[in-house]
Amino acid sequence: MISLKAASNIKGLGKPAPRRALTPSRLPHVIPHVRKLIPELADRCHVIASGHIGYGFSDGPPVNEYEYSFENLTAATLVLLDKLGIRSFAVYIHDYGAPIGLRTASRHPGRITALLVQSDNAYMEGFAPLWDIRFAHAEDRAAAARKKRAHLTPEKTHWPYTHGVPADRLDRVDPSTWTRDQTLTDRPGNKEVQLQLFRTTSSTCPPTLNSRSNSASISRRH
């Protein structure tokens, strides 16, 4: 059995707060990534921070034993929610959390109380040029694999944490974030996991959200 791990805060004597928030994310150390967010919301929400299969401290089976795709990661997240008995919730999405959170919203709109979106795309037109290498890998794995592996190095892992941060504030960025991130990325077989997900980048947006009109119709319901 493959195990998906989640961290959560429980409000008051072990009883979940009436409002719930799910935070699927991309980072290999997703649970520590939101460790400061959970306490901030503790008096209002029961927060569930899920580490996807192959991420955080969830199981990471090799690619020949598990197909890493956004469809499968969404299915695993829905199983987790059902196991926890959570029927309605808000979703905070960022990066790889978007294709999982948006798939969940498109399939079960009645369960979603809010979508909190940070740097994500609901349709293909929103992708910036830096995603071109991922789309290229999806089209031609052999030709793009070497370039894509270069995106899994410490230098590339460090970049999103400090890019755009003013020089006089760089000392406020905790270096343990990218160090922990890279350590988990360097686990045996994990780079192959990342490459397999890169190959599914072309299906990042769920079909029902691949047009502006469909994504707008979901947002109007909430």
Side-chain angles (χ1 to χ4, degrees):
M1 177 181 295
I2 297 173
S3 175
L4 186 151
K5 302 295 192 301
S8 66
N9 68 309
I10 304 297
K11 179 182 179 182
L13 301 177
K15 296 182 179 179
R19 288 185 290 180
R20 300 179 175 91
L22 173 70
T23 65
S25 187
R26 165 183 179 263
L27 305 172
H29 66 284
V30 56
I31 293 174
H33 178 63
V34 296
R35 68 188 184 280
K36 294 183 179 179
L37 175 64
I38 292 176
E40 291 293 327
L41 297 175
D43 62 338
R44 288 161 284 172
C45 293
H46 173 202
V47 183
I48 301 100
S50 62
H52 310 320
I53 303 300
Y55 288 78
F57 297 102
S58 296
D59 289 346
V63 294
N64 62 340
E65 296 181 9
Y66 181 82
E67 182 182 352
Y68 288 87
S69 68
F70 293 115
E71 289 292 327
N72 285 343
L73 295 181
T74 299
T77 300
L78 289 170
V79 169
L80 171 68
L81 292 169
D82 290 341
K83 289 286 187 182
L84 295 174
I86 295 174
R87 297 299 306 165
S88 62
F89 47 91
V91 184
Y92 163 62
I93 54 177
H94 169 65
D95 207 279
Y96 272 10
I100 297 171
L102 293 177
R103 276 174 169 77
T104 300
S106 65
R107 293 172 188 174
H108 303 282
R111 299 177 67 177
I112 308 300
T113 60
L115 283 174
L116 310 175
V117 181
Q118 178 186 345
S119 185
D120 293 310
N121 299 293
Y123 39 84
M124 299 303 292
E125 295 90 335
F127 287 98
L130 61 86
W131 277 78
D132 289 349
I133 182 62
R134 300 188 185 191
F135 289 120
H137 188 267
E139 295 295 329
D140 189 341
R141 175 185 176 188
R146 181 178 298 179
K147 290 182 179 179
K148 198 58 227 160
R149 282 184 180 274
H151 282 246
L152 302 173
T153 61
E155 293 76 18
K156 293 294 185 181
T157 301
H158 177 271
W159 181 83
Y161 288 102
T162 57
H163 178 69
V165 179
D168 61 348
R169 299 186 183 183
L170 282 173
D171 59 348
R172 304 182 188 182
V173 183
D174 184 358
S176 70
T177 52
W178 61 79
T179 301
R180 185 186 295 111
D181 203 353
Q182 188 64 42
T183 298
L184 292 174
T185 300
D186 288 340
R187 290 176 296 179
N190 190 264
K191 287 183 173 62
E192 284 66 34
V193 169
Q194 305 306 319
L195 291 174
Q196 191 172 88
L197 271 179
F198 291 153
R199 294 201 297 276
T200 68
T201 293
S202 58
S203 65
T204 293
C205 296
T208 53
L209 292 179
N210 266 336
S211 70
R212 296 172 190 268
S213 60
N214 284 336
S215 61
S217 68
I218 289 178
S219 64
R220 281 197 297 269
R221 286 199 293 268
H222 302 285

